[in-house]
């Protein structure tokens, strides 16, 4: 579990294809590797990865084909910057929101509107995710916890403050660039629970006697 508060801007140092359609990712991050051990979780651009090895400020992680297909990690190349966050510790402050590190889909940056103290950035999102995105709700973009400023049928906007622009990859993203999206998991649980209740209600209504 993560919070969406980026700890460090890291760098991809190696992308090595392995058996099948998976890959071994090497990531430089002196801060997040300072106490990292084999088996620890580190989010890379919002994707929860398991540490395999750590040496000289670089950690390696196996990335399955499913992860490469369903996230923007497959487009990463050596030298690319990445947002890094270690797993949250019990008892620490929850500065962002509950983030699983499980990417729901890939979005696309469609516009940037600079202002004096912040920047409004708009993203296109997959149609299947639009129902989970609400104004003033939480969303994770490349691992960054953000508040939705506006939402449309297939797009949404967020406001980025100078700190976010400077200390995360979102400051350098250009129009057309892909981003990893994770919607608020609470919205998905609510949908599932309400869906089950509606299904049960329909069943009761159609079988008032309770006999199949």
């Amino acid at each position: 579990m993560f919070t969406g508060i980026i700890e460090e801007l890291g760098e991809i140092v190696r992308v090595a294809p392995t058996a099948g359609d998976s890959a071994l990712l090497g990531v430089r991050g002196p801060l997040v590797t300072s106490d990292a051990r084999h088996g620890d979780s580190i989010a890379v651009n919002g994707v929860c990865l398991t540490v395999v090895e750590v040496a000289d400020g670089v950690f390696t992680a196996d990335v399955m084909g499913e992860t490469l297909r369903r996230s923007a990690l497959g487009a990463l190349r050596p030298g690319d910057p990445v947002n890094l966050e270690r797993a949250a510790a019990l008892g620490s402050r929850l500065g962002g929101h509950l983030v699983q590190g499980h990417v729901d889909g890939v979005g696309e940056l469609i516009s940037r509107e600079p202002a004096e103290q912040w920047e409004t950035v708009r993203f296109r999102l997959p149609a299947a995710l639009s129902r989970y995105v609400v104004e003033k709700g939480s969303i994770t973009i490349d691992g960054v916890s953000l508040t939705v400023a506006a939402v449309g049928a297939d797009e949404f906007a967020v406001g980025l403050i100078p700190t976010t622009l400077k200390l995360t990859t979102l400051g350098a993203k250009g129009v057309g660039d892909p981003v990893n999206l994770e919607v608020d998991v609470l919205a998905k649980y609510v949908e599932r629970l309400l869906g089950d209740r509606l299904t049960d209600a329909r069943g009761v209504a159609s079988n008032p006697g309770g006999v199949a």
Side-chain angles (χ1 to χ4, degrees), residues 9-114:
L9 197 57
E11 179 187 2
I12 298 296
V13 297
R14 180 165 61 122
V15 180
T18 55
D21 56 356
S22 58
L24 190 67
L25 208 63
V27 186
R28 178 175 290 110
L31 176 61
V32 299
T33 58
S34 61
D35 61 352
R37 297 174 298 175
H38 174 82
D40 284 350
S41 295
I42 296 177
V44 179
N45 278 359
V47 181
C48 178
L49 297 180
T50 301
V51 174
V52 176
E53 294 180 352
V54 182
D56 299 323
V58 174
F59 73 91
T60 58
D62 288 309
V63 186
M64 298 185 300
E66 173 74 2
T67 302
L68 294 173
R69 288 189 295 272
R70 299 194 61 170
S71 75
L73 290 190
L76 292 174
R77 297 293 181 267
D80 286 346
V82 285
N83 298 320
L84 302 177
E85 181 191 356
R86 290 169 290 187
L90 289 176
S92 62
R93 290 184 175 87
L94 183 61
H97 72 284
L98 294 177
V99 176
Q100 293 183 295
H102 302 160
V103 172
D104 293 302
V106 177
E108 178 187 354
L109 195 155
I110 55 178
S111 72
R112 306 189 72 113
E113 300 174 19

Side-chain angles (χ1 to χ4, degrees), residues 127-160:
L129 299 183
S130 61
R131 64 182 180 274
Y132 303 116
V133 182
V134 297
E135 187 173 343
K136 304 307 179 185
S138 297
I139 192 165
T140 309
I141 305 175
D142 271 356
V144 184
S145 172
L146 293 164
T147 299
V148 177
V151 62
D154 63 349
E155 64 181 58
F156 68 95
V158 295
L160 303 182

